[in-house]
């Protein structure tokens, strides 16, 4: 299975939970993979909001996310990730338009 | 031109010239600088070493505003969801103390006042999962013990 990125904006409190499901380890759904996600960057309208630096303790095919309290309809939320083998992925969603699951390009 | 006016002009010019490098440095910094990937801390097996590298201290205090939501009993040790809330923090680190490489995740949250971090981690066995937060120069800690049904990793 190729690497893939699912991005979902979930209304939570006064804002949105930005939840990203990353599939970076083909076939290794139960651990023991040689590579792991090292960095996940969340941006709003092109400006970085938060960058997570991860180690081997992050799960395979992780779910990662942040909460954004001050996004408005039309704001573009994007996520980019890279793993220890150099695999990359990204996805982008627009608040109020396609805020359900968005499949990004690897 | 009077001597006093001339000296004032010279002093203002020098002050302006002196401010140029500083202004250049400020302008050249990105709006939200990212934390360099802390490769040594992420590969280290020693929690104190990790804390010293990330926070330059191991002295911690308790913080009621630092919330950890994680299951106390994990059926699948390779996929344990967690949610951290650390509002108005400068840096947040999540450490699974029993893992060979305990540092799970670290992030600078200076530009992210909400401070909510959602993720899934993997545990090799029962472990204390701790969240360390740097706020206004002080390091705070909150921990949860997680039992696992079987060995993960």
């Amino acid at each position: 299975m190729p690497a893939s990125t699912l991005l979902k904006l979930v209304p939570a409190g006064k804002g949105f939970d930005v939840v990203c499901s990353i599939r970076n380890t083909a076939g290794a759904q139960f651990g023991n993979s040689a590579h792991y996600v090292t960095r996940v960057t969340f941006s709003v309208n092109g400006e970085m909001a938060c960058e997570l630096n991860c180690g081997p303790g992050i799960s395979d095919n992780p779910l990662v996310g942040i909460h954004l309290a001050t996004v408005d309809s039309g704001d573009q939320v994007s996520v980019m990730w890279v793993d220890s083998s150099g695999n990359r992925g990204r996805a982008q969603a627009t608040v109020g338009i396609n805020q359900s699951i968005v499949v990004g390009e690897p | 031109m009077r001597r006093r006016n001339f000296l004032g002009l010279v002093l203002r010019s020098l002050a302006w010239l002196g401010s140029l490098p500083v202004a250049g440095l400020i302008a050249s910094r990105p709006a939200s600088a990212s934390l360099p990937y802390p490769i040594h801390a992420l590969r280290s097996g020693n929690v104190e070493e990790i804390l010293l590298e990330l926070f330059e201290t191991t002295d911690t205090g308790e913080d009621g505003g630092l919330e950890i939501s994680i299951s106390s009993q994990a059926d699948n040790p390779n996929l344990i969801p967690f949610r951290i809330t650390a509002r108005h923090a400068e840096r947040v680190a999540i450490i699974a103390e029993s893992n060979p490489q305990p540092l799970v995740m670290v992030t600078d949250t200076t530009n992210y006042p909400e401070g909510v971090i959602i993720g899934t981690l993997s545990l090799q066995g029962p472990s204390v999962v701790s969240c360390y937060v740097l706020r206004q120069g002080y390091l705070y800690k909150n921990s949860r013990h997680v039992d696992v049904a079987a060995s993960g990793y």
Side-chain angles (χ1 to χ4, degrees):
Chain A
M1 187 196 301
S4 68
T5 314
L6 302 177
L7 182 63
K8 189 173 185 181
L9 307 183
V10 184
K14 293 177 182 174
F16 289 88
D17 279 352
V18 180
V19 185
C20 175
S21 173
I22 298 169
R23 286 213 168 269
N24 69 310
T25 56
Q29 295 181 13
F30 299 104
N32 301 316
S33 71
H35 51 266
Y36 51 90
V37 171
T38 54
R39 181 167 273 186
V40 185
T41 308
F42 292 92
S43 303
V44 180
N45 297 325
E47 295 243 343
M48 190 179 82
C50 185
E51 189 167 66
L52 308 174
N53 297 286
C54 309
I58 189 87
S59 69
D60 288 338
N61 302 320
L63 189 78
V64 290
I66 61 172
H67 178 82
L68 295 174
T70 56
V71 286
D72 298 316
S73 182
D75 282 348
Q76 291 191 326
V77 179
S78 61
V79 62
M80 290 189 294
W81 60 267
V82 62
D83 74 11
S84 56
S85 299
N87 298 315
R88 291 168 185 274
R90 61 181 178 173
Q92 182 171 293
T94 305
V95 177
I97 297 173
N98 56 348
Q99 65 191 43
S100 59
I101 293 176
V102 177
V103 182
E105 297 294 325
Chain B
M1 182 179 285
R2 289 186 173 185
R3 184 169 176 268
R4 185 181 298 169
N5 292 346
F6 175 75
L7 283 174
L9 183 66
V10 168
L11 286 174
R12 280 197 296 275
S13 301
L14 285 173
W16 181 76
L17 284 171
S19 70
L20 278 181
V22 176
L25 280 175
I26 291 169
S28 67
R29 285 183 64 186
S32 48
S34 61
L35 173 72
Y37 188 70
I39 191 158
H40 298 297
L42 285 162
R43 287 182 177 171
S44 173
N46 184 296
V47 174
E48 283 195 2
E49 206 175 274
I50 293 167
L51 294 177
L52 285 172
E53 183 177 337
L54 296 178
F55 302 108
E56 298 178 347
T57 182
T58 57
D59 295 330
T60 59
E62 296 291 327
D63 182 0
L66 172 57
E67 301 165 17
I68 305 179
S69 176
I70 188 169
S71 173
S72 59
Q73 177 73 43
D75 292 333
N76 180 358
N78 293 310
L79 195 73
I80 304 171
F82 66 85
R83 184 185 179 102
I84 307 286
T85 304
R87 291 183 188 90
H88 303 290
E90 291 140 43
R91 183 169 290 181
V92 179
I94 299 152
I95 290 178
E97 295 181 8
S98 297
N99 279 357
Q101 290 154 313
L103 182 58
V104 175
M105 188 183 282
V106 59
T107 180
D108 264 353
T109 51
T110 312
N111 298 312
Y112 175 48
E114 294 93 336
V116 175
I117 297 165
I118 301 162
T120 50
L121 58 83
S122 179
L123 292 180
Q124 197 173 43
S127 179
V128 172
V129 175
S130 299
C131 180
Y132 292 85
V133 168
L134 186 68
R135 185 182 287 139
Q136 295 177 336
Y138 292 96
L139 185 61
Y140 299 99
K141 175 188 179 183
N142 204 344
S143 299
R144 294 283 182 276
H145 187 270
V146 180
D147 272 324
V148 296
S151 175
Y153 237 64

